[in-house]
Amino acid sequence: MLEYYSEKSRIIIVSNRLPLVIRKDEHGKIIFEKGAGGLVTAMAPVLEQKQGTWVGWPGYTLEKGAKDHAVTALESNSAGYDIRPVPLDASEIKNYYEGFSNSVLWPLFHGFTGPCLFRPEYWDAYRQVNEKFAQIVSDNIQDNDLIWVHDYQLLLLGQLLGKTVKKNRIGFFLHIPFPSVEIFSRCPWRYELLSAMLEYDLVGFHTIQHKRNFIGCINKLIQEVNIDARAAFDQTITEFKIKNRVKRIGVFPISIDYDEFLFAARDKRVKQRSVAIRNNAPDAKIILGVDRLDYTKGIPEKLRAFKRFLTRFPEFHKKACFIQVVVPSRRGILAYKDLKLEIEQLVGEINGVFNTHDWLPIRYMFRSLDRKELVALYRASDIAFVTPLKDGMNLVAKEYCTCNVDETGVLILSEFAGAAQQFYTDALLVNPHDTDKTADAILRAFEMSDREKAARMHNLREDVRTRDVMWWLNSFVTAAVRKELKGFSEPDEYFPRKPENRGGDRERVNARNV
């Protein structure tokens, strides 16, 4: 175990995708752009500071044996840290990524066993690609580097690296839920997956429930390991030993860069755009849904709840404008094509029943949005409608609250989103399968007093501000490298916030009891 995280130590980040988006311009020239998302935002400055390395798939496929002419350009486009691409061919993408990762692990871990395709060729490809990642990591580490592996595509990496890496701490963070033992046990390779995860020095989850499920699976399925059941209820870090090596399991709710979204929301052009959006529905409250196209996001259930709201409460016709943004995803998988068709049919049905010559209840957008347009929508909306059937965290909820600088909005949130563990006192929690109760929550959001909305939203925003993405980063690294965790409550500041971080809106008083 590392005695402490020294100035000479580096961080090696390993994820399925590199933090660069690769595309061709109108002249066929390859263009590299910085990737989006909380992980990239958090890790890029840390890797620059520590001269770290990011290992991942570059996003394009190569034929077997073909030379990758983009590698040199790719590696030179990182800003202040090294990039090590893992080349994958079309067969590997089909069987490892679309196959085992997204047709086995993704539905299984979200509790959807129906779409699972337990095909041996998927498992073989998953193992082989994890071995390829492990080889590239092994070729690029130094003693005492902290290796931090991310997400379900790379569950086997800790075990594979453990065969060759002896002087490095290896941490793993799961960005999606971890299922109950009843669900997880349906996987034919349950023992292999769980045993591999136990090879990591630290395994991190978003919520205490995900941690409980993981410990429950260990105690049920791994005979040589038994963890005190009381440890499953520990809100922070659980320690135990395997072969005289200390292992840790922790809860680290991921977050966003609060200041980045706050400053974007205060941008003059963003504010002007939000006003223009509001002017398109001057007499209505805007309800906003922003979801990636996925069956875990509960988009059809959300649409049915809105239809039920309009049916039961006709007095709110023309007073509600529901903007639903669906971001394209995994277009090659049949289940996603079917889902898109179902959503579009529901939107057409609801608009067909309720629309008038001067009112369209639902405005549906199937496309990606740039950051400024998204933040403008957040600012313009009166209600955020975030109701996944299952979600590891759901950062849309945190982004919306941060951008609600006037503190006049309401967050309707699924109790099955990881964010509900943090926001349960101030969001309106719903079971998205309960159409009537979800319609009631929309009604409550419409009728809530300005004072209550301000109190709730202020508390939500304070939660995001105090536990932002840098807090998450430092929490995980503290748990990974500290020799002793006694008295650990707040993380060490291995990686301080940027100097321009001004902490957001701290001047208002806490109004939780209003």
Side-chain angles (χ1 to χ4, degrees):
M1 181 183 292
L2 293 179
E3 292 296 323
Y4 203 74
Y5 193 76
S6 71
E7 289 298 319
K8 295 181 180 179
S9 301
R10 302 184 309 161
I11 287 186
I12 310 297
I13 299 298
V14 193
S15 64
N16 178 62
R17 285 293 299 267
L18 286 173
L20 292 174
V21 177
I22 303 168
R23 64 177 181 85
K24 289 184 178 180
D25 66 12
E26 56 188 11
H27 304 294
K29 182 181 178 182
I30 296 176
I31 303 295
F32 298 92
E33 298 175 345
K34 181 181 176 181
L39 185 62
V40 176
T41 301
M43 300 311 306
V46 170
L47 290 175
E48 293 171 21
Q49 178 184 344
K50 292 294 179 181
Q51 296 181 323
T53 299
W54 197 311
V55 178
W57 177 53
Y60 55 85
T61 58
L62 288 173
E63 293 303 317
K64 285 187 177 180
K67 187 173 182 180
D68 191 349
H69 298 286
V71 168
T72 303
L74 180 67
E75 293 179 350
S76 67
N77 272 275
S78 60
Y81 57 91
D82 293 331
I83 278 185
R84 293 292 178 263
V86 181
L88 299 178
D89 61 38
S91 174
E92 289 169 328
I93 291 300
K94 178 182 178 181
N95 292 312
Y96 146 77
Y97 182 70
E98 294 178 0
F100 199 81
S101 294
N102 290 312
S103 297
V104 176
L105 294 179
W106 178 267
L108 184 76
F109 278 36
H110 284 87
F112 292 82
T113 56
C116 291
L117 300 175
F118 298 115
R119 295 177 179 172
E121 62 269 29
Y122 288 173
W123 168 246
D124 292 340
Y126 186 78
R127 286 190 297 104
Q128 291 163 10
V129 171
N130 271 250
E131 288 170 359
K132 186 177 283 192
F133 271 82
Q135 184 60 56
I136 291 179
V137 173
S138 297
D139 292 343
N140 288 279
I141 59 171
Q142 302 171 7
D143 289 351
N144 294 334
D145 287 347
L146 171 63
I147 304 169
W148 189 354
V149 182
H150 290 268
D151 227 0
Y152 61 102
Q153 300 95 344
L154 301 170
L155 295 177
L156 305 181
L157 211 56
Q159 186 178 65
L160 295 169
L161 288 171
K163 296 176 181 178
T164 57
V165 172
K166 304 299 181 183
K167 296 183 179 181
N168 302 82
R169 298 287 286 166
I170 307 174
F172 174 81
F173 188 82
L174 185 66
H175 291 260
I176 65 175
F178 194 89
S180 66
V181 66
E182 292 79 15
I183 297 294
F184 187 72
S185 295
R186 302 188 187 192
C187 181
W189 305 280
R190 59 197 183 186
Y191 180 82
E192 291 88 339
L193 291 169
L194 207 56
S195 298
M197 291 183 72
L198 286 173
E199 294 295 324
Y200 288 105
D201 295 298
L202 170 65
V203 176
F205 301 97
H206 287 301
T207 73
I208 187 67
Q209 185 60 57
H210 303 161
K211 179 186 172 185
R212 288 176 191 168
N213 289 345
F214 182 64
I215 291 176
C217 288
I218 293 170
N219 288 339
K220 181 77 172 180
L221 302 174
I222 307 293
Q223 293 182 355
E224 53 268 41
V225 180
N226 189 272
I227 303 173
D228 188 336
R230 291 173 296 182
F233 293 89
D234 190 333
Q235 293 281 350
T236 52
I237 312 295
T238 293
E239 284 189 334
F240 61 101
K241 282 188 177 182
I242 299 178
K243 299 176 183 178
N244 294 319
R245 188 172 178 90
V246 174
K247 304 289 182 178
R248 291 171 177 170
I249 305 170
V251 177
F252 313 96
I254 199 171
S255 193
I256 64 172
D257 187 330
Y258 178 88
D259 278 358
E260 180 178 313
F261 276 91
L262 176 65
F263 299 150
R266 287 176 166 173
D267 182 86
K268 184 178 179 180
R269 288 167 296 180
V270 167
K271 185 176 181 180
Q272 290 172 344
R273 176 62 184 143
S274 71
V275 171
I277 294 170
R278 281 235 50 90
N279 289 340
N280 286 329
D283 301 318
K285 287 187 182 294
I286 295 177
I287 305 170
L288 177 65
V290 179
D291 303 278
R292 188 168 52 81
L293 180 66
D294 197 281
Y295 49 79
T296 67
K297 299 301 182 182
I299 304 171
E301 288 78 6
K302 185 192 304 189
L303 291 167
R304 293 187 186 103
F306 182 64
K307 179 182 179 182
R308 187 66 175 150
F309 169 75
L310 295 178
T311 301
R312 289 175 55 199
F313 309 111
E315 64 270 27
F316 289 99
H317 290 190
K318 299 188 180 183
K319 296 180 181 179
C321 175
F322 181 17
I323 300 175
Q324 176 62 58
V325 179
V326 177
V327 179
S329 175
R330 299 170 187 161
R331 300 189 190 194
I333 299 177
L334 181 61
Y336 290 75
K337 295 179 181 178
D338 293 341
L339 175 62
K340 180 175 182 288
L341 180 61
E342 180 184 7
I343 291 168
E344 290 171 350
Q345 288 175 339
L346 279 168
V347 170
E349 175 189 322
I350 295 167
N351 280 340
V353 169
F354 295 100
N355 85 94
T356 64
H357 73 281
D358 58 349
W359 175 57
L360 190 67
I362 303 175
R363 298 179 186 176
Y364 169 70
M365 292 185 280
F366 182 70
R367 61 185 177 90
S368 299
L369 300 178
D370 64 34
R371 174 65 61 85
K372 288 184 178 180
E373 182 70 12
L374 178 62
V375 172
L377 274 171
Y378 287 149
R379 280 213 62 172
S381 301
D382 301 282
I383 301 166
F385 203 3
V386 184
T387 53
L389 304 181
K390 194 72 173 178
D391 224 338
M393 176 53 63
N394 195 291
L395 295 180
V396 167
K398 296 189 174 186
E399 293 169 3
Y400 172 77
C401 294
T402 301
C403 295
N404 198 252
V405 293
D406 298 323
E407 298 186 345
T408 57
V410 179
L411 174 63
I412 299 175
L413 180 63
S414 167
E415 62 189 53
F416 306 123
Q421 300 286 315
Q422 292 177 255
F423 290 170
Y424 65 92
T425 58
D426 293 295
L428 300 184
L429 294 190
V430 298
N431 178 343
H433 299 286
D434 191 333
T435 305
D436 275 324
K437 291 291 178 62
T438 305
D440 288 341
I442 299 173
L443 176 65
R444 187 179 175 192
F446 266 73
E447 295 181 337
M448 188 179 293
S449 71
D450 291 343
R451 192 168 184 232
E452 183 179 355
K453 284 189 287 189
R456 286 174 176 269
M457 185 52 65
H458 177 75
N459 292 330
L460 291 168
R461 298 180 75 242
E462 278 295 287
D463 193 314
V464 182
R465 183 186 67 79
T466 56
R467 291 194 284 178
D468 65 358
V469 71
M470 293 306 294
W471 176 91
W472 169 76
L473 170 63
N474 281 307
S475 294
F476 188 93
V477 174
T478 297
V481 304
R482 255 201 196 182
K483 188 173 183 180
E484 298 290 340
L485 288 177
K486 292 179 180 179
F488 169 62
S489 57
E490 282 298 311
D492 301 325
E493 198 167 83
Y494 297 100
F495 312 108
R497 290 171 174 79
K498 294 174 287 188
E500 64 267 26
N501 187 311
R502 295 183 286 277
D505 319 61
R506 303 189 185 191
E507 67 277 6
R508 286 187 286 274
V509 298
N510 190 309
R512 182 174 294 274
N513 295 321
V514 172

